[in-house]
Amino acid sequence: MLTTEELVASLKSVLPAEQVSINETIREQHGKDESYHTPSMPDVVVFPASTEEVIKIMKLASQYKVPVVPFGRGTSLEGHVIPYDHGITIDFSLMNKVLEVRENDFLVRVQPGVTRTQLNKELKKYGLFFSVDPGADATLGGMAATNASGTTAVRYGVMRDQVRDLEVVLADGTVIHTGNLAEKSSSGLHLNGLFVGSEGTLGCFTELTLRVYGIPEYVMAARASFPSVQDAVSAVVGILQAGIPVARVELVDEPSMKQVNLFNDTNYKEQPTLFMEFHGNEAGLKQDVEFMKEIVSDYHCEGIEYETDQAALNQLWEARHNLAYAFIHGYPGKKMMTTDVCVPISDLGAAIDNARAALNKLDLPGGIVGHVGDGNFHALIMIDMNNPEEIRKSEEFNEVIVIDALERGGTCTGEHGVGVGKQKYQEREHGQALQVMERIKLALDPENLLNPNKLIKVKRELF
Amino acid sequence: MLTTEELVASLKSVLPAEQVSINETIREQHGKDESYHTPSMPDVVVFPASTEEVIKIMKLASQYKVPVVPFGRGTSLEGHVIPYDHGITIDFSLMNKVLEVRENDFLVRVQPGVTRTQLNKELKKYGLFFSVDPGADATLGGMAATNASGTTAVRYGVMRDQVRDLEVVLADGTVIHTGNLAEKSSSGLHLNGLFVGSEGTLGCFTELTLRVYGIPEYVMAARASFPSVQDAVSAVVGILQAGIPVARVELVDEPSMKQVNLFNDTNYKEQPTLFMEFHGNEAGLKQDVEFMKEIVSDYHCEGIEYETDQAALNQLWEARHNLAYAFIHGYPGKKMMTTDVCVPISDLGAAIDNARAALNKLDLPGGIVGHVGDGNFHALIMIDMNNPEEIRKSEEFNEVIVIDALERGGTCTGEHGVGVGKQKYQEREHGQALQVMERIKLALDPENLLNPNKLIKVKRELF
């Protein structure tokens, strides 16, 4: 084992000195994410400016068997970027260029440190947009690493659906491309899909080629209030079954609506509410919205309001996106824990009922929100990390939600990823398939250097 | 090594005798696909009726190190199912049940031997359909194995996009599930994506859970003729850029239109033609079609005809689907070779130009057709397999097309897969990523028993 001094000296021999930091504040910033998981600091943080520099870092790490954690903006929610084994954290903030917009191919090539709002600002010039919208202004490298999704997945798909190619630096410094520029391919094994969602455990992403979309001709949003969460969920199932191509459909329950109003100074009805958005041509969209109105009224919708101008649309979605911050703001000193299960849509109502009953039983304050068009919902609960009883209750709550989702054929995480928080459910969810994942990890990173013990905890005896 | 007699005796000890065949005709039927690739017979063909029987077969194969080839209906086009290493062919035709339709979840669970027309017949009762349409009435297991697509991928995606879960029997007889029933998941490595398109080299699929869609409210088809292929392709690019959500858009060139008319007794204009289909609500679709009309007229469209009734729609798409058979019928005694590159859409016109020039230069008779909304096109050429010069020329032609596509950032196969026919281009296309694929194959099938030397030819020294 190298000492930290020796490691830093080695890194400085291959990188400009100012791109290698052991500053305490910087290490602290890279020792946590936005979750409640316990922080842990890296020994050193490096800021590569090119793929070549990432290769040099990985070759050194590989030579000296030093763990490496890739880091975007630290907005992960399950401890993905926390370096519990210390070593090197690679911060991609200097690799933040939009390299190429292939307007006619609906493709864009970016460095991993580009954030989604930065990309959308650039794409707007071309009448294009990038669809994946997890709320946080994460980097695209990080979003690919966790297979992020968010409000628009119901229409445009998740991060994995947008990735056409990744440039990846593997554990030993080899550079590969996982895909190509064609819209579809049956050539070779599907490495795009495998690397997206691998949470930094198989390689460092140094370039991404992503699918983008034309800004729709016409956009309309609606806010519909219901007497109960069940009615709202049933309305969503009805909308999907009618084949209405809704672009976003978000459920915000009553306690969460209260928090929205408090934080945003809005005056929305404090009832279970669906925030919806429709994209299309004007004629088609008007027919869709008429049909949607009939469906929601069948489920006792007590008020529906429409927005078509951009400012009102922005306010509506900002209110939704700020919800997590609204809870954090409302419970000073507490940390947020978020569940993230995804279930078959026909089970969604029962799964949400079960979550609300568990919150009540455990007497935990919290809201339920969700990307209900996908069957994905979150219970947001605020925990005092100095109160062991609250921590215990929140863990019990998480477990109740996850086991229920797995019994319904769902998954423990629809979009946040595994990190360290969902590891304990991996064997239960994947069964023998977990060993296949372990064998793949072992085949590609035999020394377990890349974000070790995240996503998959490979048994030591296999190394 | 077991003798064939010993192998058959072992198989009969775990399967009913009538499910184990060494009949010459049956072995011959399992020694070829629909392509020009040289046949080669298995030693024995087995017909399992359940996952349990597949497990028993794989355990035997694994114990005695006998190669295994999974077989659907033999409609592959690159020699995928030809057992060049002999051994056992597993024919899935007895496993042909639609097990469950989860109407409200838009999901269906099937056995691998179910064909796509069989599935669609069942789904129609529920107002649902399965979107992937490769032309041939392949089995769903086979379609998943090659990541098939076809005419509707431009709107609904390819086979990989529809697979929510696979039950897979691995080389050693272990059974895994690669996914779950939720619409999205960030849990574990993405095994769904990895196994789809693995061409039988990683495991045998014994059950598939697939995404299905509501039959659209309104469907309209159009046939538009153009003075040149270039105009037709430019019109497609224009339609896509306008954001018109076309459900199918197929190019059929002039020689192919002649073959269509000859074979189908139709009287279509013998000009480069786009076959298009639009799905949506009536109002939106009418606005889309009006817009489409403006765009095609900008590209010198010389005639456009619409169909909305089901019989006319069926005739139109049958004509398109019968094209390969129309060529085979028109050149008795010859075998068909089909190129299958996919390029970025902005390169499609130039790539097709290049293909036509190569056909002319080599004096090869053939047609060009394609799923042009994806940038995927096929040149169909007819070869006399007893004429070495024709074989040489067709191989030269294939290579010209593939190298051109790779130089444009495309892929050697958009939908047919690698099999044995596209193996020689894998290193050129994937570079160092090919070694990653080899390591994965080796990790999951260390004895190289599953469809050996297809897709990836793992270097012997690695075993």
Side-chain angles (χ1 to χ4, degrees), chain A residues 197-275:
Chain A
S198 63
E199 302 187 357
T201 65
L202 301 181
C204 294
F205 305 163
T206 47
E207 256 183 48
L208 303 92
T209 301
L210 304 169
R211 174 80 163 88
V212 296
Y213 297 84
I215 293 174
E217 180 195 322
Y218 200 74
V219 174
M220 181 184 261
R223 225 173 47 242
S225 315
F226 295 83
S228 72
V229 164
Q230 283 312 307
D231 280 322
V233 169
S234 301
V236 172
V237 172
I239 288 168
L240 295 174
Q241 278 169 358
I244 297 173
V246 61
R248 296 171 157 173
V249 54
E250 299 286 303
L251 169 73
V252 182
D253 77 347
E254 198 175 322
S256 306
M257 286 304 291
K258 284 188 183 143
Q259 219 61 38
V260 163
N261 281 339
L262 268 175
F263 186 73
N264 295 281
D265 218 14
T266 45
N267 197 20
Y268 297 154
K269 258 192 205 166
E270 295 182 352
Q271 279 198 321
T273 303
L274 293 179
F275 289 49

Side-chain angles (χ1 to χ4, degrees), chain A residues 299-350:
Chain A
Y299 295 99
H300 320 108
C301 171
E302 296 182 348
I304 182 161
E305 314 214 21
Y306 301 98
E307 318 280 10
T308 49
D309 82 284
Q310 196 56 50
L313 282 171
N314 289 349
Q315 192 198 18
L316 187 146
W317 291 109
E318 263 176 58
R320 165 64 189 91
H321 277 146
N322 285 335
L323 190 52
Y325 300 109
F327 271 101
I328 291 168
H329 190 82
Y331 294 86
K334 294 199 174 194
K335 290 273 190 183
M336 191 174 65
M337 195 276 282
T338 315
T339 71
D340 178 40
V341 296
C342 190
V343 297
I345 189 88
S346 67
D347 275 291
L348 183 62

Side-chain angles (χ1 to χ4, degrees), chain B residues 413-428:
Chain B
T413 172
E415 56 182 14
H416 295 169
V418 175
V420 292
K422 292 285 160 41
Q423 273 185 356
K424 56 186 160 208
Y425 308 120
Q426 291 297 291
E427 186 149 4
R428 179 144 184 170

Side-chain angles (χ1 to χ4, degrees), chain B residues 290-318:
Chain B
E290 278 308 304
F291 196 5
M292 178 275 291
K293 238 161 73 180
E294 283 174 36
I295 293 166
V296 297
S297 76
D298 286 349
Y299 294 99
H300 318 110
C301 171
E302 295 181 349
I304 182 160
E305 312 212 24
Y306 301 97
E307 318 279 12
T308 48
D309 82 286
Q310 196 56 48
L313 282 170
N314 288 349
Q315 191 196 21
L316 188 145
W317 291 109
E318 262 175 60

